[in-house]
Amino acid sequence: ASRSAARDRRAEVDEEGRPDRVTPSAASEVSLALAMSQVGASWWADLAVTLGWRLRQTGAALAAGVIDLGRARLVAEATAPLSDEDARTVEGLVLPGAGGQSTGQLRAALHRAVLRVDPAGAEDRRQAAERQAKVSLYPDDAGTATLVGSSLPGVHAAAAMARLTALARGMKAAGKGGGIDLLRAQVLIGLVLGTLPFIPAPPGAPPDTRPDPGDPPGDPRPGGAADDGSGP
């Protein structure tokens, strides 16, 4: 990658030999040598450049067997939006424990470290990602389809999932068959299309009576906040 960039008038190489990009020529050489597509070769070469110069500690940990390739990729991907200095700061924070963490734990540690090192940038990236929110429909081979909401606000998405789950559990408690995932999917379609049927109370549940508009705020049950037992 470094030699190809040095020969390419559109690329630059710094005094340490680090190329500013993986040129098509470099990707072609890697593609031929490793018998992979040029797109894949470009991705792998870019990761190699990142671990060879920008994240040298991560590259050294990978070479020494302290971390595996998957964890090295996580570090590279999580720090990609950062400056070189901030990326190395995040690397220094997470790398000591990375070898003993699961990929999920490492991903969470990287997220915390990026927020700590570049909080303003993380907020800017979150807002930029939310502006790219979309809903996509993908047909499946079985004649079904996958409906996906991407880049949604995290808090709103979590609240929506909680509501889907609560309604699905209500359906299950009322006797509806099927697993919770199936019921959540049925609730989602019903809410979007306005066809969600009434979910009855489960057998043996207390009656759901409407409060009297004249009652004061609080628990209307005897002994509750609205009835302290002092009345007749």
Side-chain angles (χ1 to χ4, degrees):
S2 180
R3 290 194 299 268
S4 295
R7 297 191 301 264
D8 194 320
R9 290 177 296 178
R10 296 165 297 182
E12 295 181 2
V13 179
D14 66 16
E15 62 277 5
E16 294 182 336
R18 175 184 175 183
D20 67 341
R21 72 192 68 184
V22 174
T23 66
S25 175
S28 295
E29 292 183 42
V30 174
S31 174
L32 289 171
L34 301 182
M36 62 173 58
S37 70
Q38 185 151 335
V39 172
S42 179
W43 188 93
W44 282 107
D46 185 71
L47 178 62
V49 168
T50 297
L51 298 181
W53 281 278
R54 177 177 162 94
L55 299 175
R56 285 179 172 169
Q57 291 184 45
T58 304
L62 175 62
V66 176
I67 61 173
D68 60 10
L69 180 60
R71 288 167 175 78
R73 289 173 59 179
L74 285 179
V75 177
E77 290 168 359
T79 58
L82 305 178
S83 66
D84 285 357
E85 181 180 357
D86 285 348
R88 289 167 186 148
T89 301
V90 170
E91 177 187 52
L93 290 172
V94 303
L95 204 55
Q101 294 176 320
S102 67
T103 54
Q105 291 171 330
L106 177 57
R107 188 177 287 108
L110 284 164
H111 179 69
R112 292 192 298 269
V114 169
L115 286 176
R116 174 179 171 182
V117 171
D118 185 27
E123 177 62 16
D124 290 343
R125 289 188 292 274
R126 182 192 66 79
Q127 294 181 8
E130 287 184 2
R131 288 193 290 270
Q132 302 300 316
K134 63 179 181 179
V135 177
S136 305
L137 178 68
Y138 304 99
D140 300 326
D141 293 338
T144 57
T146 299
L147 186 66
V148 179
S150 305
S151 298
L152 306 176
V155 173
H156 294 169
M161 185 65 173
R163 187 180 183 209
L164 290 175
T165 301
L167 291 172
R169 287 176 175 165
M171 292 175 64
K172 193 170 188 66
K176 181 73 171 179
I180 195 69
D181 287 333
L182 174 61
L183 295 177
R184 265 196 295 253
Q186 292 175 350
V187 169
L188 173 63
I189 292 296
L191 289 175
V192 172
L193 299 181
T195 59
L196 184 66
F198 171 73
I199 302 175
D208 186 12
T209 57
R210 292 181 179 274
D212 189 324
D215 288 343
D219 189 346
R221 295 171 298 177
D227 184 353
D228 60 4
S230 60

Coordinates of all heavy atoms in Angstrom, one line a residue, residues 83-136:
S83 N -9.6 11.5 15.6 CA -8.3 11.9 15.2 C -7.3 10.9 15.6 O -7.5 10.0 16.4 CB -7.9 13.3 15.8 OG -7.8 13.1 17.2
D84 N -6.1 10.9 15.0 CA -5.0 9.9 15.4 C -4.7 10.0 16.9 O -4.6 8.9 17.5 CB -3.7 10.2 14.6 CG -3.8 9.8 13.2 OD1 -4.9 9.2 12.8 OD2 -2.9 10.0 12.4
E85 N -4.6 11.2 17.4 CA -4.3 11.3 18.9 C -5.4 10.7 19.7 O -5.1 10.0 20.7 CB -4.1 12.8 19.2 CG -3.7 13.0 20.7 CD -3.6 14.5 21.0 OE1 -3.7 15.3 20.0 OE2 -3.3 14.8 22.2
D86 N -6.7 11.1 19.4 CA -7.8 10.5 20.2 C -7.9 9.0 20.0 O -8.2 8.3 21.0 CB -9.1 11.2 19.8 CG -9.2 12.6 20.4 OD1 -8.4 13.0 21.2 OD2 -10.1 13.4 19.9
A87 N -7.7 8.5 18.8 CA -7.8 7.1 18.6 C -6.8 6.3 19.4 O -7.1 5.3 20.0 CB -7.5 6.8 17.1
R88 N -5.5 6.9 19.5 CA -4.5 6.2 20.3 C -4.8 6.3 21.8 O -4.5 5.4 22.6 CB -3.2 6.8 20.0 CG -2.7 6.4 18.6 CD -1.5 7.2 18.2 NE -1.1 6.9 16.8 CZ -0.6 7.8 15.9 NH1 -0.4 9.0 16.3 NH2 -0.4 7.4 14.7
T89 N -5.5 7.4 22.2 CA -5.9 7.5 23.6 C -6.9 6.4 24.0 O -6.9 5.7 25.0 CB -6.5 8.9 23.9 OG1 -5.5 9.9 23.6 CG2 -6.9 9.0 25.4
V90 N -7.9 6.2 23.1 CA -8.9 5.2 23.3 C -8.3 3.8 23.2 O -8.6 3.0 24.1 CB -10.0 5.3 22.2 CG1 -10.9 4.0 22.2 CG2 -10.8 6.5 22.3
E91 N -7.3 3.6 22.3 CA -6.6 2.4 22.3 C -5.9 2.1 23.6 O -6.0 0.9 24.1 CB -5.6 2.5 21.1 CG -4.7 1.3 21.0 CD -3.6 1.5 19.9 OE1 -2.9 2.6 20.0 OE2 -3.4 0.7 19.0
G92 N -5.3 3.1 24.2 CA -4.6 2.9 25.4 C -5.5 2.6 26.6 O -5.1 1.9 27.5
L93 N -6.7 3.1 26.5 CA -7.7 2.8 27.6 C -8.3 1.4 27.5 O -8.5 0.8 28.6 CB -8.9 3.8 27.5 CG -8.6 5.3 27.8 CD1 -9.7 6.2 27.5 CD2 -8.2 5.4 29.3
V94 N -8.5 0.9 26.3 CA -9.2 -0.4 26.2 C -8.3 -1.6 26.0 O -8.6 -2.7 26.4 CB -10.2 -0.4 25.1 CG1 -11.2 0.7 25.3 CG2 -9.6 -0.3 23.7
L95 N -7.1 -1.4 25.5 CA -6.3 -2.5 25.1 C -5.8 -3.4 26.2 O -5.7 -4.6 26.1 CB -5.1 -2.0 24.3 CG -4.4 -3.0 23.3 CD1 -5.5 -3.6 22.4 CD2 -3.3 -2.3 22.5
P96 N -5.5 -2.8 27.4 CA -5.0 -3.7 28.5 C -6.0 -4.8 28.9 O -5.5 -5.9 29.3 CB -4.8 -2.7 29.7 CG -4.5 -1.4 29.0 CD -5.3 -1.4 27.8
G97 N -7.3 -4.6 28.8 CA -8.2 -5.6 29.2 C -8.9 -6.3 28.0 O -9.7 -7.2 28.2
A98 N -8.5 -5.9 26.8 CA -9.3 -6.4 25.6 C -9.1 -7.9 25.4 O -10.1 -8.6 25.0 CB -8.8 -5.7 24.3
G99 N -8.0 -8.4 25.7 CA -7.7 -9.9 25.5 C -8.6 -10.8 26.4 O -8.9 -11.9 26.0
G100 N -9.0 -10.3 27.5 CA -9.8 -11.1 28.4 C -11.3 -10.8 28.4 O -12.1 -11.3 29.2
Q101 N -11.7 -9.9 27.4 CA -13.1 -9.6 27.3 C -13.8 -10.3 26.1 O -13.1 -10.6 25.1 CB -13.3 -8.0 27.1 CG -12.8 -7.2 28.3 CD -12.9 -5.7 28.0 OE1 -12.5 -5.3 26.9 NE2 -13.3 -5.0 29.0
S102 N -15.1 -10.5 26.2 CA -15.8 -10.9 25.1 C -16.0 -9.8 24.1 O -15.7 -8.6 24.4 CB -17.2 -11.4 25.5 OG -18.0 -10.3 26.0
T103 N -16.4 -10.1 22.9 CA -16.5 -9.0 21.9 C -17.6 -8.0 22.3 O -17.4 -6.8 22.1 CB -16.8 -9.6 20.5 OG1 -18.0 -10.4 20.6 CG2 -15.7 -10.4 20.0
G104 N -18.6 -8.5 23.0 CA -19.6 -7.6 23.5 C -19.1 -6.7 24.5 O -19.4 -5.5 24.6
Q105 N -18.3 -7.2 25.5 CA -17.7 -6.4 26.5 C -16.7 -5.4 25.9 O -16.7 -4.2 26.4 CB -17.0 -7.3 27.5 CG -18.0 -8.1 28.4 CD -17.2 -9.2 29.2 OE1 -16.1 -9.6 28.8 NE2 -17.8 -9.5 30.4
L106 N -15.9 -5.8 25.0 CA -15.0 -4.9 24.3 C -15.7 -3.8 23.6 O -15.3 -2.6 23.6 CB -14.1 -5.7 23.4 CG -13.0 -4.8 22.6 CD1 -12.2 -4.0 23.6 CD2 -12.2 -5.7 21.7
R107 N -16.8 -4.1 22.9 CA -17.6 -3.1 22.2 C -18.1 -2.1 23.1 O -18.1 -0.9 22.9 CB -18.7 -3.8 21.4 CG -19.4 -2.9 20.5 CD -20.5 -3.6 19.7 NE -19.9 -4.4 18.6 CZ -19.8 -5.7 18.6 NH1 -20.3 -6.4 19.7 NH2 -19.3 -6.4 17.6
A108 N -18.6 -2.5 24.3 CA -19.1 -1.6 25.3 C -18.0 -0.7 25.9 O -18.2 0.5 26.1 CB -19.8 -2.3 26.4
A109 N -16.8 -1.3 26.1 CA -15.7 -0.6 26.6 C -15.2 0.5 25.6 O -14.9 1.6 26.0 CB -14.5 -1.5 27.0
L110 N -15.2 0.1 24.4 CA -14.9 1.1 23.3 C -15.8 2.2 23.3 O -15.4 3.4 23.1 CB -14.8 0.4 22.0 CG -13.5 -0.5 21.7 CD1 -13.8 -1.4 20.6 CD2 -12.3 0.4 21.5
H111 N -17.1 1.9 23.4 CA -18.1 3.0 23.3 C -17.9 3.9 24.5 O -18.0 5.2 24.3 CB -19.5 2.3 23.4 CG -20.6 3.3 23.4 ND1 -21.0 4.1 22.3 CD2 -21.5 3.7 24.4 CE1 -22.0 4.9 22.6 NE2 -22.3 4.7 23.9
R112 N -17.7 3.4 25.7 CA -17.4 4.3 26.8 C -16.2 5.1 26.6 O -16.1 6.3 27.0 CB -17.3 3.5 28.1 CG -18.6 2.8 28.5 CD -18.5 2.2 29.9 NE -17.5 1.2 30.0 CZ -17.7 -0.1 29.9 NH1 -19.0 -0.5 29.6 NH2 -16.8 -1.0 30.0
A113 N -15.1 4.5 26.1 CA -13.9 5.2 25.9 C -14.0 6.3 24.9 O -13.5 7.4 25.1 CB -12.8 4.2 25.5
V114 N -14.7 6.1 23.8 CA -14.9 7.1 22.8 C -15.7 8.3 23.4 O -15.4 9.4 23.1 CB -15.6 6.5 21.6 CG1 -16.0 7.6 20.6 CG2 -14.7 5.5 20.8
L115 N -16.7 8.0 24.2 CA -17.5 9.1 24.8 C -16.6 9.9 25.7 O -16.8 11.1 25.9 CB -18.7 8.5 25.6 CG -19.9 8.0 24.7 CD1 -20.9 7.3 25.6 CD2 -20.5 9.1 23.9
R116 N -15.8 9.2 26.5 CA -14.9 9.9 27.4 C -13.9 10.8 26.7 O -13.6 11.9 27.1 CB -14.2 8.8 28.3 CG -13.1 9.4 29.2 CD -12.5 8.3 30.0 NE -11.3 8.7 30.8 CZ -10.6 7.9 31.6 NH1 -10.9 6.6 31.7 NH2 -9.6 8.4 32.2
V117 N -13.3 10.3 25.6 CA -12.2 11.0 24.9 C -12.8 12.1 24.0 O -12.2 13.2 23.9 CB -11.4 10.0 24.1 CG1 -10.4 10.7 23.2 CG2 -10.6 9.1 25.1
D118 N -13.9 11.9 23.4 CA -14.4 12.8 22.4 C -15.9 13.0 22.6 O -16.7 12.6 21.7 CB -14.1 12.4 21.0 CG -14.5 13.4 19.9 OD1 -14.5 14.6 20.3 OD2 -14.8 13.0 18.8
P119 N -16.4 13.5 23.7 CA -17.8 13.6 24.0 C -18.6 14.5 23.0 O -19.7 14.1 22.5 CB -17.9 14.1 25.4 CG -16.6 14.8 25.6 CD -15.6 14.1 24.9
A120 N -18.0 15.6 22.6 CA -18.6 16.5 21.7 C -18.8 15.8 20.3 O -19.8 15.9 19.6 CB -17.9 17.8 21.5
G121 N -17.7 15.2 19.9 CA -17.7 14.5 18.6 C -18.7 13.4 18.6 O -19.4 13.1 17.6
A122 N -18.8 12.6 19.7 CA -19.8 11.5 19.8 C -21.2 12.0 19.6 O -22.0 11.4 19.0 CB -19.6 10.8 21.1
E123 N -21.5 13.2 20.3 CA -22.8 13.7 20.2 C -23.1 14.2 18.7 O -24.2 14.0 18.2 CB -23.0 14.9 21.1 CG -24.3 15.6 21.1 CD -25.5 14.8 21.4 OE1 -25.3 13.7 22.0 OE2 -26.6 15.2 21.1
D124 N -22.1 14.8 18.1 CA -22.3 15.2 16.7 C -22.6 14.0 15.8 O -23.4 14.1 14.9 CB -21.0 16.0 16.2 CG -20.9 17.4 16.9 OD1 -21.9 17.9 17.4 OD2 -19.8 17.9 16.8
R125 N -21.8 13.0 16.0 CA -22.0 11.8 15.2 C -23.4 11.1 15.4 O -24.0 10.6 14.5 CB -20.9 10.7 15.5 CG -19.6 11.2 14.9 CD -18.5 10.1 15.0 NE -18.1 9.8 16.4 CZ -17.2 10.5 17.1 NH1 -16.5 11.5 16.5 NH2 -16.9 10.1 18.3
R126 N -23.8 11.2 16.7 CA -25.2 10.6 17.0 C -26.3 11.4 16.3 O -27.2 10.9 15.6 CB -25.4 10.7 18.5 CG -26.8 10.1 18.9 CD -27.1 10.4 20.3 NE -27.3 11.8 20.6 CZ -28.4 12.5 20.3 NH1 -29.4 11.9 19.7 NH2 -28.5 13.8 20.5
Q127 N -26.1 12.8 16.3 CA -27.1 13.6 15.6 C -27.1 13.4 14.1 O -28.1 13.3 13.5 CB -26.9 15.1 16.0 CG -27.2 15.4 17.5 CD -26.9 16.8 17.8 OE1 -26.7 17.7 16.9 NE2 -27.0 17.2 19.1
A128 N -25.9 13.3 13.6 CA -25.7 13.1 12.2 C -26.4 11.7 11.8 O -27.0 11.6 10.7 CB -24.3 13.1 11.7
A129 N -26.1 10.7 12.6 CA -26.7 9.4 12.3 C -28.2 9.4 12.4 O -28.9 8.8 11.5 CB -26.1 8.3 13.3
E130 N -28.8 10.1 13.3 CA -30.2 10.2 13.5 C -30.9 10.9 12.2 O -32.0 10.6 11.9 CB -30.6 10.9 14.7 CG -30.4 10.1 16.0 CD -30.9 10.8 17.2 OE1 -31.4 11.9 17.1 OE2 -30.7 10.3 18.3
R131 N -30.1 11.8 11.6 CA -30.6 12.5 10.4 C -30.7 11.5 9.3 O -31.3 11.8 8.2 CB -29.8 13.7 10.1 CG -30.0 14.9 11.1 CD -29.4 16.2 10.5 NE -27.9 16.1 10.5 CZ -27.2 16.5 11.5 NH1 -27.7 17.0 12.7 NH2 -25.9 16.5 11.4
Q132 N -30.0 10.4 9.4 CA -30.1 9.4 8.3 C -31.1 8.3 8.6 O -31.0 7.2 7.9 CB -28.7 8.8 8.1 CG -27.6 9.8 7.8 CD -27.9 10.6 6.5 OE1 -28.3 10.0 5.5 NE2 -27.7 11.9 6.6
A133 N -31.9 8.5 9.6 CA -32.9 7.4 10.0 C -33.8 7.1 8.8 O -34.1 7.9 8.0 CB -33.7 7.9 11.2
K134 N -34.1 5.8 8.7 CA -35.0 5.3 7.6 C -35.6 4.0 8.0 O -35.2 3.3 9.0 CB -34.2 5.1 6.3 CG -33.1 4.0 6.4 CD -32.4 3.9 5.1 CE -31.3 2.8 5.2 NZ -30.6 2.6 3.9
V135 N -36.7 3.7 7.3 CA -37.3 2.4 7.4 C -37.2 1.7 6.1 O -37.5 2.2 5.0 CB -38.8 2.6 7.8 CG1 -39.5 1.2 7.8 CG2 -38.9 3.3 9.1
S136 N -36.7 0.4 6.1 CA -36.5 -0.3 4.9 C -37.3 -1.6 4.9 O -37.5 -2.2 5.9 CB -35.0 -0.7 4.7 OG -34.2 0.5 4.8

